[in-house]
Amino acid sequence: MQQQVHFTTLATADLDAARTFYCDGLGWTPLLDVPGEILFFQIGPGAVLGLYDATAFDGDLGRPPREHDLGSVTLAHNVDDAAAVDAMFAATLAAGATPIKAPERTSFGGYHAHIADPNGVIWEICHNPGWRVDDDGTVRLT
């Protein structure tokens, strides 16, 4: 098996709140939006994030509905500078995010904040001076 992930799908209890957060707060454009069922966003070359209505998600897996806790998963978005962290933090709060950690300097020389989307998905918004992506898509961490 090749070392890659093409789809990451998260069960979400409130798809409409997720749509507002991701479209209005993050400014993302859906790759596919099936109201009441699923939202897909292209998040990188060959990579898609799916936000799937939790009831439909459980039905697709053939299991009874259950409680979904996404508080143990963190997604991260790296930006160019501290001002971009501050701006994205404010935009996500305006779109329904819950603040977890206000923007602050990090021990590694960067600057970051943490928020939770309306369904509890934790996002790190980060400026990391040691992060870069080569032209071929390889991530470099220094």
Side-chain angles (χ1 to χ4, degrees), residues 104-135:
E104 66 179 20
R105 296 274 169 217
T106 66
S107 61
F108 58 83
Y111 186 75
H112 70 166
H114 287 86
I115 54 95
D117 82 0
N119 291 290
V121 176
I122 299 172
W123 277 87
E124 177 186 29
I125 306 162
C126 185
H127 166 63
N128 181 343
W131 156 271
R132 69 180 170 85
V133 179
D134 292 345
D135 291 339

Side-chain angles (χ1 to χ4, degrees), residues 49-64:
L49 175 66
L51 300 168
Y52 204 167
D53 173 80
T55 302
F57 179 86
D58 287 332
D60 187 49
L61 293 175
R63 66 182 186 192

Side-chain angles (χ1 to χ4, degrees), residues 1-39:
M1 179 179 200
Q2 292 181 351
Q3 186 172 315
Q4 58 187 328
V5 174
H6 296 106
F7 279 83
T8 301
T9 304
L10 304 174
T12 182
D14 188 338
L15 195 57
D16 291 332
R19 182 180 296 101
T20 298
F21 175 80
Y22 287 86
C23 294
D24 298 344
L26 297 183
W28 290 9
T29 301
L31 179 64
L32 177 67
D33 184 349
V34 181
E37 188 175 340
I38 195 161
L39 276 165

Side-chain angles (χ1 to χ4, degrees), residues 3 54 65 68 77 83 94 97:
Q3 186 172 315
H68 292 273
H77 181 76

